[in-house]
Amino acid sequence: MFHARRALRALLIPLFAGLALTTLPAGSAHAASTLTNGGFESDGTGTATPAGWSTYSAAGQNAASFTESGGHGGSYRLTHWSASAYKVETYQYLSGLTNGNYKLTAWVRSGGGQNSAYLALKNCGSAEQRTDIPVSASGWIRIVTSIAVTNNQCTISINSDANAGNWINVDDLTFASGTSGVPIKGSDVSSLIKSEAKGGVYRNSSGTTGDALAILKGAGQNYARVKVWVNPADGYNNKTRVLAAAKRVKAQGMKLLVDFHYSDTWADPGAQTVPSAWTGHSYSQLRTDVYNHTYDVLNALKSQGTTADMVQVGNEINGGMLWSAGSTSNWSQLAGLLNSGYDAVKAVNSSTQVALHLAKGGDLSGTRWWFDNAVANNVKFDVIGLSYYGYWHGTLADFQTTLDDAASRYAKPVFVAETAYPFRLDSEDAHENIIDLSSELVSGYPATTAGQTRWMKDIASIVEAVPNGRGLGIFYWESTWTAVSGNGWDPTDAASGNGWENQALFGYDDRLLPAAAWFSHR
């Protein structure tokens, strides 16, 4: 009776082509309990249906799926491509599985442009899980997809719904017990309190006005990042304002990352200016300043019941901090300042995680150089944070290489402390946007709401794929920094504008953008 049903199913599937890709696997697919030929090495080139795999196309376009030379690990790979528009699925049906959690890992490349191109795990007894294939025309990228198998079977699926000439490469798939996910789904909301004070309005995707934090929480955000300046000219992002922000963050049930800049203004690879109150202080005094300031802010947070969950000791400190005393030209002094901050964090709450944060997330050699020196100088830290902006910091493949290397080389969890992407190029205010030319964009990621959404989902997929569960998650940078008069970039100039409103998570109509969907990543 069982075999009769399967034979009937095989006959019926062509009659229901529109359902085939989301319901049952096509016919008597290779029913094995382990993935076969995951490296596509069995058949050489030009094989439309590689050993162990099946191919399906409702429009008879099976030839769009084939093996060819140029593998990731071995000699061959699977490719989807056709000179005309096509839809094709290459899949493998596994049965006799022990129920439990499974993770599919694959190495992929893509020229982009498809309507969709993704890996999927389906017919496994729980909701189908997908991971889009990032646009990466040259470098291979590892992605993962995980699922709970509850019916002793699962279908591994590689899908393309593509335009003429679009292509993907897939290779070295493995399917084994395991889980994946992104624990931290955060954004930096440092601009929010000043925005509101200057008349900023935030709306959900339906247009209803509300609390920006509640709207972000509703989209799935579970962590908020807030910067601290020592004595900023505008009176925002100081201790008092951070305490107020923390109350609201914790009231939403979110965790809190406190980002110490150790300056009165922006600290980044190009500027690490000593706060005015610390000007002229000796190195020894600066160590005490760092300790006291860090302890003061964090202890006040703890006292009001909003203890920080993670702390950044410094912001984008590629060149060190508190120049020139804490420059990387004097690693022993920089180490002393960083450890002073670390000690203050732990004195307030020993379980608060201490992160060290660099920019240039695609710079493998620079990241290694910095952290090798930090380790050699006995700098204490728990977590590594990297900024990664694709229009500045190298390719997605460069980023994955650097992130993976940092996690393994230093045996620490890693996260993206900052990333963002534009949803349009024009400005809402009179201030020129930092990214405002199509030539500045990452290939395959247009400055549209869809492009911004795709960017964030693909960044999340790369973090999710960090080996050994060390990929913690992402903070989107300045989700709430919309164009509001008086809330510009310069705390000393109330008339300064915002060069970032085209990269916020709220649009020019103040509505939450579709890219917020990345907060619901696995």
Side-chain angles (χ1 to χ4, degrees):
M1 189 65 178
F2 171 77
H3 294 293
R5 284 199 192 106
R6 287 195 56 180
L8 178 62
R9 187 173 75 198
L11 290 170
L12 289 175
I13 278 180
L15 302 178
F16 299 99
L19 300 176
L21 297 185
T22 55
T23 55
L24 298 169
S28 56
H30 305 272
S33 59
T34 56
L35 180 67
T36 302
N37 194 21
F40 304 102
E41 296 297 306
S42 298
D43 309 287
T45 63
T47 303
T49 304
W53 295 86
S54 299
T55 309
Y56 177 79
S57 173
Q61 297 168 305
N62 285 20
S65 172
F66 55 91
T67 57
E68 62 179 346
S69 60
H72 167 261
S75 299
Y76 305 103
R77 67 194 183 208
L78 178 75
T79 293
H80 285 180
W81 175 87
S82 178
S84 57
Y86 63 95
K87 294 182 182 180
V88 70
E89 175 188 26
T90 310
Y91 65 92
Q92 191 167 147
Y93 168 59
L94 302 181
S95 64
L97 295 172
T98 301
N99 287 339
N101 294 313
Y102 288 82
K103 180 168 72 173
L104 175 71
T105 302
W107 287 89
V108 299
R109 297 192 301 193
S110 172
Q114 298 90 347
N115 299 314
S116 63
Y118 60 91
L119 302 183
L121 295 173
K122 60 186 184 180
N123 308 322
C124 310
S126 58
E128 178 177 336
Q129 296 294 310
R130 295 182 179 181
T131 299
D132 291 333
I133 296 176
V135 180
S136 179
S138 54
W140 289 91
I141 291 176
R142 184 200 318 101
I143 59 174
V144 298
T145 308
S146 61
I147 199 164
V149 172
T150 61
N151 61 355
N152 304 111
Q153 66 183 30
C154 197
T155 299
I156 296 165
S157 175
I158 304 164
N159 282 267
S160 291
D161 178 353
N163 300 300
N166 293 162
W167 61 270
I168 61 170
N169 299 149
V170 181
D171 203 3
D172 294 338
L173 290 93
T174 61
F175 184 71
S177 295
T179 59
S180 65
V182 180
I184 293 175
K185 302 162 187 175
S187 79
D188 192 303
V189 294
S190 298
S191 59
L192 178 59
I193 287 180
K194 187 175 180 181
S195 173
E196 292 171 336
K198 302 297 181 181
V201 172
Y202 299 89
R203 309 179 192 278
N204 65 18
S205 57
S206 301
T208 303
T209 302
D211 177 358
L213 289 176
I215 293 169
L216 290 166
K217 174 67 184 303
Q221 179 170 312
N222 63 11
Y223 224 120
R225 179 180 187 251
V226 180
K227 70 171 176 271
V228 189
W229 288 337
V230 177
N231 188 25
D234 62 359
Y236 288 90
N237 300 115
N238 59 11
K239 174 186 170 183
T240 299
R241 305 288 188 175
V242 167
L243 287 169
K247 282 186 177 180
R248 293 175 56 184
V249 166
K250 292 284 188 169
Q252 292 294 336
M254 295 183 196
K255 290 186 175 181
L256 175 67
L257 167 57
V258 179
D259 174 17
F260 284 92
H261 282 228
Y262 301 111
S263 185
D264 294 334
T265 187
W266 302 99
D268 55 46
Q272 296 283 337
T273 307
V274 173
S276 57
W278 305 355
T279 301
H281 286 195
S282 66
Y283 165 67
S284 178
Q285 288 174 305
L286 287 173
R287 285 190 64 174
T288 302
D289 292 333
V290 168
Y291 186 95
N292 289 344
H293 170 61
T294 306
Y295 185 93
D296 179 49
V297 173
L298 296 179
N299 193 54
L301 286 167
K302 180 181 179 181
S303 296
Q304 71 171 13
T306 58
T307 300
D309 299 282
M310 188 186 296
V311 167
Q312 281 181 218
V313 176
N315 186 77
E316 293 190 333
I317 52 176
N318 300 61
M321 66 186 203
L322 294 168
W323 291 344
S324 58
S327 165
T328 50
S329 62
N330 191 333
W331 261 101
S332 63
Q333 289 195 175
L334 174 56
L337 293 169
L338 294 172
N339 283 338
S340 190
Y342 179 97
D343 291 343
V345 175
K346 299 298 184 177
V348 173
N349 183 50
S350 61
S351 63
T352 296
Q353 296 287 286
V354 175
L356 297 180
H357 170 210
L358 301 186
K360 304 181 182 178
D363 181 6
L364 175 63
S365 61
T367 302
R368 277 186 173 181
W369 175 85
W370 200 96
F371 278 99
D372 282 357
N373 274 288
V375 170
N377 283 274
N378 299 309
V379 174
K380 295 176 283 189
F381 63 100
D382 303 315
V383 187
I384 292 172
L386 299 176
S387 293
Y388 176 64
Y389 297 100
Y391 36 73
W392 293 329
H393 297 157
T395 67
L396 287 169
D398 292 335
F399 166 55
Q400 180 168 72
T401 299
T402 306
L403 196 67
D404 289 356
D405 184 77
S408 61
R409 189 176 180 89
Y410 309 106
K412 300 288 186 182
V414 294
F415 69 99
V416 179
E418 299 180 17
T419 192
Y421 205 77
F423 59 91
R424 58 196 293 170
L425 292 174
D426 60 315
S427 296
E428 187 179 7
D429 63 10
H431 192 80
E432 182 181 5
N433 288 336
I434 291 174
I435 301 297
D436 63 351
L437 300 173
S438 58
S439 60
E440 295 172 305
L441 299 173
V442 180
S443 178
Y445 297 88
T448 61
T449 56
Q452 183 190 47
T453 302
R454 179 70 184 273
W455 178 260
M456 287 311 301
K457 287 188 173 181
D458 290 348
I459 292 293
S461 293
I462 287 173
V463 176
E464 182 182 21
V466 174
N468 301 309
R470 289 192 174 123
L472 287 183
I474 303 167
F475 290 90
Y476 191 94
W477 195 67
E478 283 288 15
S479 60
T480 57
W481 199 10
T482 54
V484 176
S485 180
N487 192 25
W489 69 271
D490 188 352
T492 69
D493 180 7
S496 64
N498 178 2
W500 204 259
E501 76 270 16
N502 68 322
Q503 298 195 66
L505 286 181
F506 291 86
Y508 290 6
D509 59 359
D510 301 320
R511 294 189 183 203
L512 186 71
L513 289 163
W518 87 266
F519 288 122
S520 60
H521 192 95
R522 254 185 317 274

